[in-house]
Amino acid sequence: MRYGLAEVARRAGVSPATASRVLSGAGPASAASRAAVLAAAQQLGYQPHPVARQLARKTGTRIVFAVRDNRADILRDPFVTRATTAMAAALDPYDVGVSLRHLGLDCAADLERLSADRGLAGLVLAGHDRELLGHLPAGLRGRTAAIGAGGADVDSAAGVGALISRLHAVGRRRIALIAGPSWLAASAAPVGAYLRLVRAAGLRARIVRGDFTSDRGGAAARAILTRWPDTDAIAAVSDATALGALGALAAAGVRVPDDVAVTGFDDIPLAGTACPALSTATHPVEEIAAAAARAALGEAVPRRLFPSVPVFRDTCGGSASTA
Amino acid sequence: MRYGLAEVARRAGVSPATASRVLSGAGPASAASRAAVLAAAQQLGYQPHPVARQLARKTGTRIVFAVRDNRADILRDPFVTRATTAMAAALDPYDVGVSLRHLGLDCAADLERLSADRGLAGLVLAGHDRELLGHLPAGLRGRTAAIGAGGADVDSAAGVGALISRLHAVGRRRIALIAGPSWLAASAAPVGAYLRLVRAAGLRARIVRGDFTSDRGGAAARAILTRWPDTDAIAAVSDATALGALGALAAAGVRVPDDVAVTGFDDIPLAGTACPALSTATHPVEEIAAAAARAALGEAVPRRLFPSVPVFRDTCGGSASTA
DNA sequence: CTGTTAGCGCCTTCAG
DNA sequence: CTGAAGGCGCTAACAG
């Protein structure tokens, strides 16, 4: 009822080796035997045993998506959730499953252990810093892909730039930035874009660090109001942060966008439905995750920057529209 | 540099079989050899080869989370996303990855194919109907778990009941229900709870079918307003549906909750931030998903009903609070 | 309790 | 281009 390669070979009148060649790696085979094997396989409803195959090929069975952060509940972050799901769907046809794991900031030992895991088909890393990517254990090279700076990344400089330009265009002149954590490689580009624009406009920089929680977003907003009370716009590099800031501003009796405009980053589902609706930048997270996953499997995925396109909604001031 | 079981056995002065017994299944072994093996393994940094193990044990390497629905983009549904992520995290320690797959309503053939997949460690099914669970291919029995009615389920009768009781308690008397699709097993319990309460209160039932999209939620709300213009409350069995209804009501100039109260179901992150903030019922999705995943692996997971606890926010009328 | 003997199902040299 | 033989690393059945 369940047939193996041997049976297919027998029916096709060839050796298992030949059958294997046509069914798997597409090794050399005459047109005749190829046809015979294919026919036999078809007729028997042959399905290769993925585990046996993976053992023989020394190729793993799952990729792990490792997210580095100081908080373990980063695994519930909307970005992580979306990316994980996208990978799980994208790798299904490859007979490869995905595992999700949290890594502390100091994760050298964990990576070492991962590199010794022969069940690992590939690793997708998020939340890395420059250091980490440069010093991957040898066993991980060639089967690791990163999401964010240095890997499958979004053109965050463009996205943040567009958002800030818009703030400037609608008359904001005292624009503060809630940046990402400094240990994160992906934090650099947005800060760079911000600084470039602010300086070009002859304005002074106002930067506070946040993370990906709304709590910190609220705290950051309060810090900004305290330190620079005349701030008229806050750009956050995460939607959760922006939402937290929105809450803090409301609590402080500051009107958005009248008094202070706010922008986020990533366009999580929440962004459009929040009140007021959040202006942010939208990203093809599913595509990014799928690209990273395939790269982790060793596929040659062209390294490109994914688009970061601004979405202007209520919190931005000016009239709502998409750039 | 990478050691196998054989080397561990050699160092411990026992046979590979004995080493295997202590390292894996915890088969019989004397204290002495157990200690020796453990020591050797420790010292060598031995890590078993998961794929070889899975091949020998005839146990698969991944579970697939199959979601049955008429729309393929159900895979982006917040519940699916959350559940997938939770499984990916929960199964990591088992060396089992998760794959995500969409199934059409008519999926007998797909299940047949799945049952032939020897890489499959287990199947988690969502969106099933009674029929489906009863007629699983033989190869899937014992390694399939369902999420929802008949599997790892939420006490939706209690949750919906609590929500509707509250609507009644704050004075609503013309309460409509936007139920789930009729092909879905999980749709039954909420409808039952609704009917029971409405009848007990001597009211008339007003039921419309929806699905898990906000579009259909909006359409359903419009249908309700058309058919029963005096409706003063709408209970939806999904947050997305409720959010869609909210939009439709706003567009129709109906005030929420003053004119019509609204409740959702599931407490997606959006619910609390929407405006007005949505009253709904909250569920331990991560726990549910993890339980289902473990059950799919063959673990004996006690079948229990997970709590569905109401969260009263703005859209419910009355004063906001948690029951 | 332990070692020996066979596989698990496929892939991959290596001759021919 | 093809077949035979051996191995991937571990587990399971069976004597002892």
Side-chain angles (χ1 to χ4, degrees):
Chain A
M1 176 178 176
R2 167 93 0 89
Y3 300 105
L5 190 55
E7 181 60 23
V8 175
R10 195 167 312 135
R11 297 241 192 169
V14 301
S15 74
T18 300
S20 171
R21 280 188 282 258
V22 354
L23 254 14
S24 64
S30 69
S33 34
R34 181 174 305 276
V37 169
L38 257 19
Q42 169 83 42
Q43 167 188 350
L44 257 46
Y46 170 72
Q47 289 201 250
H49 192 316
V51 186
R53 174 174 277 185
Q54 279 147 339
L55 177 62
R57 283 181 180 166
K58 297 180 198 298
T59 173
T61 64
R62 59 174 188 148
I63 75 149
V64 352
F65 180 25
V67 186
R68 181 167 167 269
D69 195 89
N70 48 355
R71 305 170 311 108
D73 64 350
I74 186 72
L75 298 190
R76 277 165 153 89
D77 178 274
F79 183 93
V80 172
T81 279
R82 246 179 108 182
T84 305
T85 305
M87 290 186 210
L91 295 185
D92 180 24
Y94 294 70
D95 283 324
V96 169
V98 1
S99 294
L100 176 62
R101 180 179 303 185
H102 162 70
L103 256 33
L105 255 30
D106 184 11
C107 59
D110 300 277
L111 289 181
E112 209 58 63
R113 210 164 310 125
L114 267 172
S115 86
D117 182 348
R118 283 107 111 222
L120 188 75
L123 175 68
V124 174
L125 207 53
H128 54 279
D129 54 16
R130 297 290 182 184
E131 178 76 11
L132 202 61
L133 279 192
H135 298 263
L136 283 178
L140 251 27
R141 309 202 160 251
R143 51 173 184 166
T144 297
I147 288 187
D153 199 12
V154 116
D155 192 353
S156 50
V160 170
L163 255 8
I164 290 181
S165 297
R166 170 59 161 248
L167 291 173
H168 188 261
V170 299
R172 308 297 165 145
R173 290 294 178 272
R174 295 175 296 273
I175 304 170
L177 178 75
I178 306 181
S182 47
W183 51 260
L184 182 69
S187 293
V191 172
Y194 167 82
L195 287 176
R196 218 168 305 128
L197 284 167
V198 160
R199 283 176 186 153
L203 309 174
R204 206 93 60 83
R206 310 176 165 193
I207 299 184
V208 163
R209 291 284 172 182
D211 55 12
F212 301 119
T213 66
S214 63
D215 284 354
R216 282 290 302 269
R222 281 186 292 273
I224 288 170
L225 289 182
T226 304
R227 188 148 162 214
W228 303 289
D230 63 344
T231 295
D232 59 10
I234 297 179
V237 290
S238 120
D239 281 349
T241 305
L243 258 12
L246 242 34
L249 293 174
V254 175
R255 290 168 311 161
V256 174
D258 308 334
D259 301 330
V260 174
V262 173
T263 65
F265 203 67
D266 260 355
D267 197 24
I268 62 178
L270 263 166
T273 330
C275 45
L278 187 63
S279 298
T280 184
T282 191
H283 306 134
V285 178
E286 280 75 17
E287 275 182 63
I288 295 172
R294 275 195 279 269
L297 286 185
E299 238 176 68
V301 177
R303 191 159 288 173
R304 69 196 190 85
L305 231 38
F306 290 85
S308 173
V309 350
V311 182
F312 301 117
R313 292 194 271 243
D314 303 343
T315 62
C316 200
S319 60
S321 72
T322 299
Chain B
M1 177 177 177
R2 167 89 5 85
Y3 299 104
L5 189 56
E7 181 58 24
V8 174
R10 194 167 314 135
R11 297 243 193 167
V14 302
S15 75
T18 301
S20 170
R21 280 188 281 257
V22 354
L23 255 15
S24 62
S30 69
S33 33
R34 181 174 304 278
V37 169
L38 256 19
Q42 168 85 42
Q43 168 188 350
L44 257 46
Y46 170 72
Q47 290 201 250
H49 192 316
V51 185
R53 175 174 278 184
Q54 279 146 338
L55 176 62
R57 284 182 178 164
K58 297 180 199 297
T59 172
T61 64
R62 60 175 187 146
I63 75 148
V64 352
F65 180 26
V67 186
R68 181 167 168 270
D69 194 90
N70 48 356
R71 302 170 313 109
D73 64 351
I74 186 71
L75 298 190
R76 277 164 153 89
D77 179 273
F79 183 93
V80 171
T81 279
R82 246 179 108 181
T84 305
T85 305
M87 290 186 209
L91 295 184
D92 180 23
Y94 295 71
D95 284 325
V96 170
V98 2
S99 294
L100 176 62
R101 179 180 304 185
H102 161 72
L103 256 35
L105 254 30
D106 182 10
C107 58
D110 299 277
L111 290 182
E112 208 58 62
R113 211 164 309 123
L114 267 172
S115 86
D117 181 349
R118 283 105 112 223
L120 188 75
L123 175 67
V124 174
L125 208 51
H128 54 279
D129 54 16
R130 297 290 182 188
E131 177 76 11
L132 201 60
L133 278 191
H135 296 265
L136 282 179
L140 252 25
R141 308 204 161 249
R143 52 172 184 166
T144 298
I147 289 187
D153 199 11
V154 116
D155 192 353
S156 50
V160 170
L163 255 7
I164 290 180
S165 299
R166 170 60 163 248
L167 291 172
H168 189 262
V170 299
R172 308 297 165 145
R173 289 295 177 273
R174 293 174 297 273
I175 305 172
L177 177 76
I178 307 181
S182 47
W183 51 261
L184 182 69
S187 293
V191 172
Y194 167 82
L195 287 176
R196 217 169 305 128
L197 283 166
V198 160
R199 282 175 187 154
L203 309 174
R204 206 93 61 86
R206 308 175 167 195
I207 299 184
V208 163
R209 291 283 172 180
D211 56 13
F212 301 118
T213 66
S214 64
D215 283 356
R216 279 291 302 269
R222 281 187 292 274
I224 288 171
L225 289 183
T226 303
R227 187 149 160 212
W228 302 289
D230 63 343
T231 295
D232 59 10
I234 297 179
V237 290
S238 120
D239 281 350
T241 305
L243 258 12
L246 242 36
L249 293 175
V254 174
R255 290 168 310 162
V256 174
D258 308 334
D259 301 330
V260 174
V262 173
T263 63
F265 203 67
D266 260 354
D267 197 23
I268 61 177
L270 263 165
T273 329
C275 45
L278 187 64
S279 298
T280 184
T282 191
H283 305 135
V285 178
E286 280 76 17
E287 275 182 64
I288 294 172
R294 274 195 279 270
L297 286 185
E299 240 176 69
V301 177
R303 192 158 287 175
R304 71 197 188 83
L305 231 38
F306 290 84
S308 175
V309 350
V311 182
F312 300 117
R313 292 194 271 243
D314 304 342
T315 62
C316 202
S319 61
S321 72
T322 299

